[in-house]
């Protein structure tokens, strides 16, 4: 590889503009922790518990829509108390389908 340097505001933009990979990795990172992005979403729905059930995200750099669905929430012990986290996540985009299945959460802070 050469000494080329590439810059972008986010890893998603970098991968899209320079490698033509339209997968929104930041979205995946947020989805794993059951977080809905604060921008570029529509059709958000929630379970009666208040936990996110699904939403649609439109990537600002590509205008592609991604549907995210959360399933099988379970209580997970965390240092500051128990949290509900999804154990099944589906992320569907125009070119890719991503299915995440979490068997075990380990949220302990290790030093």
């Amino acid at each position: 590889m050469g000494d080329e340097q590439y810059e972008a505001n986010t890893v998603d933009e970098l991968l899209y503009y320079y490698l033509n990979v339209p997968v929104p990795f930041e979205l995946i990172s947020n989805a794993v922790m059951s977080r809905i992005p604060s921008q570029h979403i529509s059709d958000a729905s929630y379970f009666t518990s208040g936990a996110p059930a699904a939403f649609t995200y439109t990537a600002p750099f590509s205008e592609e829509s991604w549907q995210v669905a959360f399933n099988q929430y379970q209580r997970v012990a965390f240092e500051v108390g128990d949290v509900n986290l999804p154990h099944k996540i589906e992320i569907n985009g125009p070119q890719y389908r991503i299915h995440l299945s979490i068997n075990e959460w380990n949220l302990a802070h290790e030093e």
Side-chain angles (χ1 to χ4, degrees):
M1 283 188 111
D3 291 332
E4 297 95 6
Q5 289 187 335
Y6 302 101
E7 293 183 23
N9 292 327
T10 67
V11 70
D12 297 345
E13 289 179 23
L14 182 73
L15 292 171
Y16 180 72
Y17 289 130
Y18 296 106
L19 299 177
N20 200 29
V21 176
V23 177
F25 289 97
E26 192 171 331
L27 174 67
I28 296 167
S29 175
N30 281 322
V32 168
M33 295 304 292
S34 185
R35 290 189 299 249
I36 295 180
S38 60
Q39 298 178 328
H40 312 292
I41 66 156
S42 60
D43 303 325
S45 62
Y46 299 85
F47 292 107
T48 55
S49 67
F55 66 90
T56 299
Y57 172 82
T58 303
F61 53 89
S62 67
E63 297 301 317
E64 294 181 335
S65 290
W66 293 79
Q67 289 76 40
V68 179
F70 303 97
N71 290 296
Q72 296 183 5
Y73 276 88
Q74 295 177 15
R75 280 208 164 303
V76 177
F78 189 51
E79 295 170 346
V80 296
D82 291 353
V83 293
N84 278 332
L85 291 174
H87 282 66
K88 302 278 185 198
I89 304 166
E90 288 188 35
I91 303 172
N92 296 305
Q95 299 176 29
Y96 301 97
R97 295 182 74 188
I98 300 166
H99 297 270
L100 302 174
S101 180
I102 296 103
N103 292 325
E104 180 181 345
W105 284 96
N106 182 354
L107 300 176
H109 178 67
E110 297 180 22
E111 293 183 27

